[in-house]
Amino acid sequence: MTTVRKAIIPVAGLGTRVLPASKAIPKEMLPVVDKPVIQHVVEEAVKAGIKEIILVTRSGKSAIEDHFDSHYELEQQLELKNKTAILDSVRNIIPNDVTIISVRQPEAKGLGHAVYCAAQAINNEPFVVILPDVLVNNYQQDENDLQKMVQAFEQHDAAQIMVESVPQQQVQLYGITDCNGIKPAAGESTPIKGMVEKPNVDEAPSDLAVVGRYVLPTRIMALLANTKPGAGNEIQLTDALDELLREQTVEAYRMTGKTYDCGNKLGFLQANVAYGLQHPDTAEGFKQFLAQQE
């Protein structure tokens, strides 16, 4: 099987859940401690072996592309002032063997449409889809969940969808997977029978909610090309995945880390607390500060 080398990250959203902060700044550029959300996500992909990042973007999002570009004047000033640690953090945002390109999503027509906008750049290869609103924190783990998903994709020859166990009373907020009553251990995968979008609590087939990480075969692009608008009159990735399920095995990978939804105010604050308590520059002082608030 071909190694998974490419990742699609849709960044064309308006960020309405974090307004007014996202009025002039892309929501993906909001900082979690000292890095914008999008950098945390790209680093996750790079650790999983991804060599080409495809941003699906729109007008008003150039700050994201600029962030990953070189900044000669800034780097020169840091070099002159001998601020080597800061210089390294700016200059080495991504490794030299990783490329970032952008494609446009001219209209907001749903996640499926955003993914399909990158079809030409995928060039008939398997790929990862990462939703940048969600940070997956695998602190102090040797491998992150995305790495394990890629490994499972290559070993099982099956698409992987990341899921996490959510409280039963919250299942109506998520897309829920039906795994024939099987609940895989954290870090393991199991075949999916189907998916239900925001089911009633008493009708949910499981408590395994889709998180926002996918490892998909190139076949999904052909299916998206023929996917009709669904919920919200948008082209939904879930509808294409339902078609894929009829043709081949799709598995739910149960994550080992913790998720933070930075697309809303509470999740963004939670991420800053969690990552702030893990960052070597802030952990100790932040712990003391939080202790004083009790």
Side-chain angles (χ1 to χ4, degrees):
M1 167 163 292
T2 308
T3 302
V4 181
R5 306 180 311 114
K6 298 187 177 186
I8 298 172
I9 306 179
V11 295
L14 293 170
T16 52
R17 293 185 296 162
V18 288
L19 283 169
S22 57
K23 182 184 175 187
I25 302 167
K27 62 177 179 174
E28 298 83 3
M29 289 301 295
L30 295 175
V32 172
V33 189
D34 58 350
K35 297 174 187 174
V37 171
I38 189 66
Q39 186 175 337
H40 287 282
V41 168
V42 166
E43 287 176 355
E44 175 192 352
V46 169
K47 190 173 181 183
I50 300 300
K51 298 299 181 186
E52 186 174 323
I53 309 284
I54 303 153
L55 301 174
V56 181
T57 185
R58 62 167 177 82
S59 61
K61 295 275 187 164
S62 60
I64 299 173
E65 296 160 76
D66 290 346
H67 179 70
F68 292 103
D69 203 353
S70 58
H71 192 318
Y72 175 74
E73 296 84 0
L74 174 61
E75 291 172 19
Q76 186 183 43
Q77 285 299 313
L78 292 171
E79 202 160 11
L80 286 171
K81 294 174 181 177
N82 204 30
K83 295 188 175 181
T84 52
I86 302 174
L87 177 61
D88 286 345
S89 72
V90 170
R91 184 177 278 165
N92 301 318
I93 286 177
I94 55 169
N96 292 330
D97 63 344
V98 174
T99 60
I100 296 184
I101 65 169
S102 297
V103 298
R104 287 294 182 106
Q105 183 183 21
E107 296 177 72
K109 291 184 178 179
L111 176 57
H113 180 257
V115 170
Y116 186 67
C117 286
Q120 198 167 354
I122 288 300
N123 194 27
N124 293 320
E125 292 185 38
F127 59 95
V128 168
V129 175
I130 303 176
L131 303 191
D133 284 356
V134 178
L135 292 187
V136 177
N137 189 352
N138 289 113
Y139 183 59
Q140 290 185 330
Q141 295 181 17
D142 292 334
E143 293 181 308
N144 68 23
D145 280 307
L146 196 59
Q147 282 176 281
K148 294 174 185 174
M149 287 179 74
V150 169
Q151 290 165 11
F153 175 85
E154 293 172 349
Q155 289 166 8
H156 306 169
D157 194 19
Q160 302 290 314
I161 300 175
M162 189 185 288
V163 297
E164 69 175 332
S165 187
V166 298
Q168 190 69 33
Q169 64 271 23
Q170 293 180 17
V171 292
Q172 77 277 9
L173 303 175
Y174 301 93
I176 300 294
T177 54
D178 181 350
C179 299
N180 273 318
I182 297 169
K183 189 169 185 175
E188 301 291 333
S189 299
T190 194
I192 293 173
K193 178 182 172 185
M195 287 173 284
V196 184
E197 191 63 35
K198 299 179 180 176
N200 293 328
V201 172
D202 54 351
E203 295 173 357
S206 75
D207 64 359
L208 296 174
V210 177
V211 170
R213 301 290 186 274
Y214 309 81
V215 186
L216 302 172
T218 191
R219 171 67 180 149
I220 201 76
M221 288 300 188
L223 295 173
L224 282 168
N226 296 303
T227 299
K228 300 287 187 282
N233 202 32
E234 296 180 335
I235 297 170
Q236 300 293 346
L237 180 60
T238 304
D239 292 341
L241 289 171
D242 283 337
E243 287 296 317
L244 187 68
L245 265 169
R246 295 188 179 97
E247 299 180 3
Q248 55 186 265
T249 303
V250 177
E251 294 184 337
Y253 166 86
R254 188 175 169 200
M255 63 181 303
T256 62
K258 282 204 67 171
T259 58
Y260 299 95
D261 183 359
C262 294
N264 69 64
K265 299 175 184 72
L266 179 59
F268 177 69
L269 287 171
Q270 290 170 336
N272 268 287
V273 170
Y275 283 72
L277 289 170
Q278 295 165 6
H279 196 293
D281 292 349
T282 58
E284 200 51 50
F286 198 20
K287 281 178 192 170
Q288 293 173 14
F289 170 76
L290 290 175
Q292 292 164 6
Q293 307 311 304
E294 292 174 358

